[in-house]
């Protein structure tokens, strides 16, 4: 067993305190959404999630995501948490790497990957590549999304995600419209489809979000395999 002296522990505590003091809350988001298949809305999901973005100087940052998914069709509650490490090439361009966990029904799946984001004017685009693994197998996922705010607070957006897990593949795509409720809040609706090896299902989603922090929002979206079922 390793024993640390009081002096060593005090030094580590000072280093941690200094690092925390230098961190700035640069962004954050809280959101609530309900999504489900249009032909049978009992196959639905309620998502409650929050993200916090910290900046360490001008270039480096960290984002933490926590989400709770109420899976109505399975009568289960799923939880996901992810940590991103980010590096800003400029005020509008960033690269990142993330690692996290999706958990449901006593099981868990680890997920990790890389991502990139580019903001422009009143909009932006981002994409990711991820690998997921649990005790029974593994798979990969990738996705891209983007959007922009038009006049009078009206926004439009689109997203595309694809995943392949143990020989089963699925693709989700959606179109989104949003309406701003002031500078920090908005309501949105999305319509899309989930394509699997056995067919295609149309889904719909409604939700609301609140942004905060000096950047009033996040550079990256949250990452979870649950985003594929049935909406993000």
């Amino acid at each position: 067993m390793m024993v640390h002296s009081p002096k060593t522990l005090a030094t580590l505590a000072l280093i941690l305190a200094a690092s925390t003091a230098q961190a700035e809350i640069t962004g954050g988001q809280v959101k609530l959404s309900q999504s489900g298949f249009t032909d049978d809305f009992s196959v639905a999901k309620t998502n409650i999630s929050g993200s916090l973005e910290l900046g360490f100087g001008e270039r480096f940052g960290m984002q933490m995501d926590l989400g709770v998914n109420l899976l109505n069709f399975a009568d289960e509650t799923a939880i996901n948490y992810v940590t991103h490490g980010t590096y800003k090439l400029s005020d509008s361009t960033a690269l990142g790497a993330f690692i996290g966990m999706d958990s449901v029904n006593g099981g868990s799946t680890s997920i990790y990957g890389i991502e990139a984001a580019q903001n422009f004017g009143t909009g932006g685009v981002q994409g990711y590549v991820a690998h997921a693994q649990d005790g029974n197998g593994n798979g990969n996922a990738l996705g891209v999304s983007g959007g922009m705010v038009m006049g009078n607070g009206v926004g439009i957006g689109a997203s595309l995600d694809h995943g392949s897990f143990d020989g089963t593949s699925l693709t989700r795509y959606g179109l989104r419209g949003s309406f701003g409720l002031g500078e920090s809040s908005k309501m949105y609706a999305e319509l899309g489809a989930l394509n699997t090896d056995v067919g295609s299902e149309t889904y719909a989603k409604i939700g609301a979000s609140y942004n905060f922090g000096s950047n009033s929002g996040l550079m990256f979206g949250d990452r979870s395999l649950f985003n594929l079922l049935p909406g993000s």
Side-chain angles (χ1 to χ4, degrees), residues 26-229:
T26 54
Q29 184 181 78
V30 179
K31 62 181 179 179
L32 169 67
S33 68
Q34 176 76 19
S35 58
F37 293 126
T38 56
D39 64 345
D40 183 4
F41 214 75
S42 65
V43 184
K45 178 185 69 177
T46 302
N47 173 265
I48 305 169
S49 61
S51 300
L52 184 67
E53 184 183 80
L54 301 176
F56 300 90
E58 296 182 357
R59 299 299 184 192
F60 293 96
M62 179 174 67
Q63 179 180 317
M64 296 166 287
D65 308 325
L66 175 63
V68 177
N69 299 276
L70 306 179
L71 307 176
N72 299 352
F73 65 93
D75 195 26
E76 294 283 355
T77 298
I79 298 175
N80 69 281
Y81 49 91
V82 173
T83 300
H84 311 242
T86 63
Y87 178 76
K88 289 187 176 181
L89 300 175
S90 68
D91 290 338
S92 58
T93 307
L95 302 175
F98 58 89
I99 184 170
M101 189 81 70
D102 288 343
S103 301
V104 63
N105 194 27
S108 61
T109 300
S110 60
I111 179 173
Y112 56 90
I114 56 175
E115 56 196 347
Q118 174 68 54
N119 292 335
F120 53 87
T122 60
V125 296
Q126 61 178 279
Y128 72 92
V129 177
H131 179 75
Q133 186 168 359
D134 60 18
N136 298 318
N138 59 78
N140 299 295
L142 56 88
V144 61
S145 62
M148 62 183 303
V149 178
M150 315 290 282
N152 300 318
V154 177
I156 57 173
S159 60
L160 173 65
D161 296 272
H162 176 76
S164 179
F165 308 97
D166 298 328
T168 300
S169 63
L170 54 87
T171 302
R172 184 197 63 82
Y173 57 88
L175 298 175
R176 175 178 298 193
S178 62
F179 182 74
L181 305 173
E183 295 183 358
S184 301
S185 303
K186 69 178 179 181
M187 298 184 66
Y188 56 88
E190 181 175 314
L191 185 65
L194 176 67
N195 295 334
T196 67
D197 296 334
V198 297
S200 178
E201 293 281 356
T202 302
Y203 74 87
K205 180 171 70 171
I206 57 173
S209 64
Y210 173 75
N211 293 336
F212 59 91
S214 58
N215 293 336
S216 187
L218 302 168
M219 179 63 76
F220 292 109
D222 53 357
R223 308 297 180 208
S224 171
L225 299 181
F226 298 122
N227 289 351
L228 296 169
L229 301 170

